[in-house]
Amino acid sequence: VEKIEEQLAGLRIAKRCTPSEEPAYLLDIDVSKPAQSPSSCFVAVSCSNKSIRVYNRETLNFLREYSGRPGILSGVFSACSDGTVKCWDVRLATQKAVQTFSGYPSNVFISFDINCSDLIICAGTEKVEKDTFLVFWDARGITDCASAAKEPLGVYSESHNDDITKVCFHPIEPNLVVSGSTDGLVNVFDINKDNEDDALISTCNSDSSVSFIGWSGKGYKQVYCMTHDEGFCWWDMAQLDTEEPITLLHVLDVRDTACVENHSLHYLVGGLYHEKAEKLFLLGGTSTGNIHLLSCSTDGLSLVGTLCGGHSATVRSFCWNLRDESLLTGGEDAQLLLWKPGAVERSLGKKASLKIASSVQERVRVHNSSLKSRKK
């Protein structure tokens, strides 16, 4: 574990993307799975100007942009505010989606994921009147028939009563999915069950609006979440059928407890579970762009290291790569950075500040669709 923590603390900037002509917040990052070869990997970034930009994962060279497609990313998929989930083939220069998955008329999707077998898509909606849905589709389809939108397999409509801000499938069990909402609930489902009541395995209450969820622990039997007021909750699903409490740790405000002495923490970004170390780490930061790495244990959170000199404003998104221990980060300074252990940056020095003028109005961190349709 100490070696892993040394590696994390030793991350340095290896690459940074060339600034775009139209700067925008980088809200979400995801990478294509290296199914063919590592050299064919892409990284997709959703931006505050309602576009998705695609870069080479290793060089951060800009490849193409899909405009007017607001949404949350998962590989080459995005969930859109027009009530659809779209799939693009990043190898093609076309602006047209190769698959479209349509929801119901009132649906505005603000979260989604695809399961580890790439067969099922699940998306969470905003609350419209009294309705909040988890919508499911079969991800398989004819990719040259984009004009025919795929209808849902079905929905779960009873388990949340407010916006579903996060959906996350289990990394190795394709039938398990966890959802988080502004109602404070984190629900674990087994979608192989016949109905929603039977599918609901566990309901955990974070007591606050959920901003991030993930799986951790050996065999990924644990679930954790972060909240919009910078709280952290961690539960052990393996304890569900025992007399032991399932709560491993509940921190009401990480800003008050996690960092020591001169290391301030302003917000949390997300978490990453390191399989080799069998350890959960959290990523947070400061409004000036410093990134803090925190180690989790049942005794509390401790600072592993701080990454400085990369970003000049709030970091909004990241993607961790276990294969080469690298970290991608994106922020309100419009920068996409690649960090690697012991790297030496060979590009031009960063500008003093790439802060975007509109950031003052948009500093308030609601869930990760913070620039969604209702914010005019």
Side-chain angles (χ1 to χ4, degrees), residues 55-56 60 90 98 117 139 215 226 254 269 276 337 352 367 373:
Y55 297 86
N56 180 288
L60 298 192
V90 294
V98 293
S117 59
W215 299 85
M226 295 164 193
V254 172
V269 185
K276 292 178 186 174
L337 301 182
H367 43 76
S373 56

Side-chain angles (χ1 to χ4, degrees), residues 117-132:
S117 59
D118 291 334
L119 296 180
I120 301 293
I121 292 171
C122 176
T125 70
E126 280 186 4
K127 183 178 182 179
V128 176
E129 295 179 352
K130 293 184 179 180
D131 294 327
T132 306

Side-chain angles (χ1 to χ4, degrees), residues 103-123:
Y104 298 100
S106 65
N107 291 166
V108 175
F109 295 120
I110 56 175
S111 59
F112 87 112
D113 199 12
I114 184 167
N115 73 347
C116 61
S117 59
D118 291 334
L119 296 180
I120 301 293
I121 292 171
C122 176

Side-chain angles (χ1 to χ4, degrees), residues 52 94 125 210 214 226 253 257 282 285 312 314 334-335:
I52 293 174
T94 178
T125 70
V210 175
M226 295 164 193
D253 192 335
T257 60
L282 305 186
S312 58
T314 299
Q335 293 196 93

Side-chain angles (χ1 to χ4, degrees), residues 209-231:
S209 173
V210 175
S211 62
F212 188 95
I213 53 177
W215 299 85
S216 67
K218 194 170 183 179
Y220 293 96
K221 299 183 187 302
Q222 301 165 355
V223 170
Y224 65 96
C225 86
M226 295 164 193
T227 62
H228 288 115
D229 53 5
E230 315 310 338

Side-chain angles (χ1 to χ4, degrees), residues 26-34 41-47 52-57 60 71-79 90 112-115 118 166-168 316-321 328-330 336 368:
L26 306 188
L27 301 176
D28 203 6
I29 300 173
D30 208 348
V31 295
S32 62
K33 295 174 183 175
C41 291
F42 302 94
V43 54
V45 179
S46 69
C47 305
I52 293 174
R53 295 173 184 162
V54 180
Y55 297 86
N56 180 288
R57 185 170 169 176
L60 298 192
I72 319 307
L73 292 173
S74 182
V76 290
F77 291 83
S78 76
V90 294
F112 87 112
D113 199 12
I114 184 167
N115 73 347
D118 291 334
K166 283 290 181 179
V167 176
C168 184
R316 297 290 293 272
S317 53
F318 76 99
C319 190
W320 171 250
N321 183 4
L328 284 162
T329 56
L336 176 65
N368 63 358

Side-chain angles (χ1 to χ4, degrees), residues 38-159:
S39 62
S40 66
C41 291
F42 302 94
V43 54
V45 179
S46 69
C47 305
S48 59
N49 64 357
K50 299 186 177 181
S51 71
I52 293 174
R53 295 173 184 162
V54 180
Y55 297 86
N56 180 288
R57 185 170 169 176
E58 284 299 315
T59 65
L60 298 192
N61 289 339
F62 174 77
L63 299 175
R64 61 184 56 90
E65 182 172 12
Y66 302 107
S67 302
R69 299 285 189 252
I72 319 307
L73 292 173
S74 182
V76 290
F77 291 83
S78 76
C80 304
S81 57
D82 63 1
T84 65
V85 173
K86 292 185 171 67
C87 173
W88 284 272
D89 188 336
V90 294
R91 298 165 298 184
L92 305 177
T94 178
Q95 283 282 318
K96 290 186 177 180
V98 293
Q99 280 183 285
T100 300
F101 303 86
S102 64
Y104 298 100
S106 65
N107 291 166
V108 175
F109 295 120
I110 56 175
S111 59
F112 87 112
D113 199 12
I114 184 167
N115 73 347
C116 61
S117 59
D118 291 334
L119 296 180
I120 301 293
I121 292 171
C122 176
T125 70
E126 280 186 4
K127 183 178 182 179
V128 176
E129 295 179 352
K130 293 184 179 180
D131 294 327
T132 306
F133 297 116
L134 283 169
V135 184
F136 297 88
W137 297 268
D138 185 338
R140 295 167 294 183
I142 304 170
T143 56
D144 60 358
C145 189
S147 59
K150 296 197 71 170
E151 298 294 319
L153 293 171
V155 301
Y156 291 164
S157 59
E158 305 294 329
S159 302

Side-chain angles (χ1 to χ4, degrees), residues 120-287:
I120 301 293
I121 292 171
C122 176
T125 70
E126 280 186 4
K127 183 178 182 179
V128 176
E129 295 179 352
K130 293 184 179 180
D131 294 327
T132 306
F133 297 116
L134 283 169
V135 184
F136 297 88
W137 297 268
D138 185 338
R140 295 167 294 183
I142 304 170
T143 56
D144 60 358
C145 189
S147 59
K150 296 197 71 170
E151 298 294 319
L153 293 171
V155 301
Y156 291 164
S157 59
E158 305 294 329
S159 302
H160 287 293
N161 56 35
D162 211 336
D163 296 1
I164 299 173
T165 52
K166 283 290 181 179
V167 176
C168 184
F169 275 101
H170 195 279
I172 53 179
E173 298 283 351
N175 58 305
L176 296 181
V177 65
V178 61
S179 58
S181 166
T182 54
D183 62 12
L185 300 182
V186 174
N187 291 326
V188 180
F189 298 95
D190 180 350
I191 61 174
N192 280 352
K193 303 296 185 182
D194 291 336
N195 57 67
E196 184 174 353
D197 284 344
D198 292 340
L200 184 60
I201 296 173
S202 174
T203 294
C204 303
N205 195 343
S206 72
D207 296 321
S208 188
S209 173
V210 175
S211 62
F212 188 95
I213 53 177
W215 299 85
S216 67
K218 194 170 183 179
Y220 293 96
K221 299 183 187 302
Q222 301 165 355
V223 170
Y224 65 96
C225 86
M226 295 164 193
T227 62
H228 288 115
D229 53 5
E230 315 310 338
F232 173 72
C233 299
W234 191 17
W235 301 282
D236 189 354
M237 298 297 110
Q239 303 290 357
L240 285 174
D241 298 324
T242 73
E243 298 297 318
E244 298 295 318
I246 69 167
T247 301
L248 298 172
L249 187 65
H250 186 183
V251 181
L252 290 176
D253 192 335
V254 172
R255 293 169 296 186
D256 294 336
T257 60
C259 289
V260 294
E261 296 178 358
N262 298 323
H263 295 283
S264 60
L265 178 74
H266 298 159
Y267 56 86
L268 291 171
V269 185
L272 54 95
Y273 177 68
H274 199 293
E275 288 182 333
K276 292 178 186 174
E278 296 183 0
K279 190 86 172 172
L280 175 62
F281 296 94
L282 305 186
L283 190 140
T286 70
S287 56

